[in-house]
Amino acid sequence: MAVYLPSTPRYLKVPLIILNVILWLLGLVLVIIGGIGVGFFSQFKEFREAAGVTDAIKSISVSVPAGVLSIGIFFMILTIAGCIVAYKEKMVGLVFYTVLMLVLLVVLIGIGGEALTYHNDDIEIEIKKNWIRISNSNESDEINKLESYFQCCCYDEEDYLLGHATICPKDINQVNLYNGTYCSDVIYTAINSKLYLVGSAGVAIGVIELVSLMFALFLIIRLYKTNAYK
């Protein structure tokens, strides 16, 4: 290894590369979570169209999963670049890498903290209001599709008492399949679990990223002092 690391101690360069590999894997996790989120919320596409998209619904069903997916892809590209500039000891590249990682660190901590503590009563009220309204309209098939996907019947007890169990999925004997399983419980359990995954991944990445930033800064200082940068 001494042949490949003539001017930089391996305790700065090699750990930085290893940390970037770990961060790349965590970035891949973000991409997977974002992809799952996009697929999950795509089930609400017809519901959003029938309900009319509000900012609250659009945020949770479109912006959040797409944002996580985009950040994951960008993060994977950045960590690959980090490995390259660290290995080749490129001062300018390390500076750009450090600045971009610092910005991304702030974004990830914000997203992670928000996802872990996220709770928006406005969204629940908005979905419930439109769920009941669509159940009463000629577009009630969209509700039936969601109930089939989530394996539930009626949004909540109020929805059930309004007589909307008639549009719930039925078996061959025309008996409701999921009586007693309300969609609000199923949907928000699924949403909260995905937000928890995003938050946990964001916090984990943020901690490891902070350590990698320290190594990158020390490496920049070492290269500057030894004039070994290119």
Side-chain angles (χ1 to χ4, degrees):
M1 292 295 293
V3 176
Y4 299 102
L5 306 173
S7 59
T8 304
R10 66 180 65 186
Y11 59 80
L12 288 176
K13 184 173 179 176
V14 174
L16 180 57
I17 293 174
I18 293 173
L19 286 169
N20 272 283
V21 172
I22 295 172
L23 288 171
W24 185 90
L25 293 173
L26 290 174
L28 180 61
V29 171
L30 280 183
V31 171
I32 293 172
I33 293 174
I36 292 173
V38 169
F40 173 80
F41 286 111
S42 67
Q43 304 299 323
F44 289 90
K45 180 180 179 181
E46 288 79 10
F47 178 82
R48 293 197 309 268
E49 292 174 352
V53 179
T54 64
D55 290 339
I57 295 177
K58 185 176 181 180
S59 174
I60 191 66
S61 63
V62 179
S63 302
V64 171
V68 171
L69 182 61
S70 300
I71 289 174
I73 293 172
F74 177 74
F75 199 77
M76 292 176 68
I77 296 172
L78 185 58
T79 50
I80 291 173
C83 288
I84 294 172
V85 296
Y87 180 76
K88 294 187 175 182
E89 302 175 14
K90 298 289 186 180
M91 172 70 86
V92 175
L94 281 168
V95 171
F96 275 107
Y97 164 82
T98 303
V99 172
L100 290 174
M101 287 291 272
L102 185 59
V103 172
L104 200 56
L105 175 63
V106 175
V107 173
L108 281 172
I109 290 177
I111 290 177
E114 180 70 17
L116 287 174
T117 59
Y118 185 85
H119 185 74
N120 193 331
D121 293 331
D122 292 338
I123 291 179
E124 296 184 26
I125 294 171
E126 193 71 28
I127 291 177
K128 178 178 178 178
K129 178 181 70 176
N130 284 288
W131 189 289
I132 293 175
R133 182 179 64 78
I134 295 172
S135 296
N136 287 322
S137 71
N138 57 5
E139 296 180 289
S140 59
D141 285 347
E142 303 304 333
I143 299 299
N144 181 266
K145 291 177 184 177
L146 286 174
E147 290 174 336
S148 297
Y149 177 79
F150 290 110
Q151 297 184 355
C152 56
C153 178
C154 296
Y155 185 79
D156 56 12
E157 186 175 2
E158 179 185 346
D159 190 32
Y160 178 81
L161 293 175
L162 289 172
H164 294 153
T166 55
I167 61 175
C168 290
K170 296 175 174 56
D171 61 18
I172 57 175
N173 297 316
Q174 295 302 303
V175 176
N176 287 346
L177 288 172
Y178 310 116
N179 267 340
T181 303
Y182 294 127
C183 296
S184 60
D185 297 331
V186 176
I187 291 172
Y188 287 109
T189 297
I191 290 175
N192 289 333
S193 66
K194 287 170 177 56
L195 288 175
Y196 181 79
L197 283 175
V198 171
S200 300
V203 171
I205 290 174
V207 172
I208 299 175
E209 189 180 351
L210 182 61
V211 177
S212 71
L213 278 172
M214 293 174 61
F215 276 99
L217 287 171
F218 289 144
L219 182 56
I220 290 171
I221 294 171
R222 176 59 185 258
L223 291 174
Y224 178 78
K225 287 184 175 181
T226 59
N227 293 320
Y229 59 89
K230 302 173 181 62

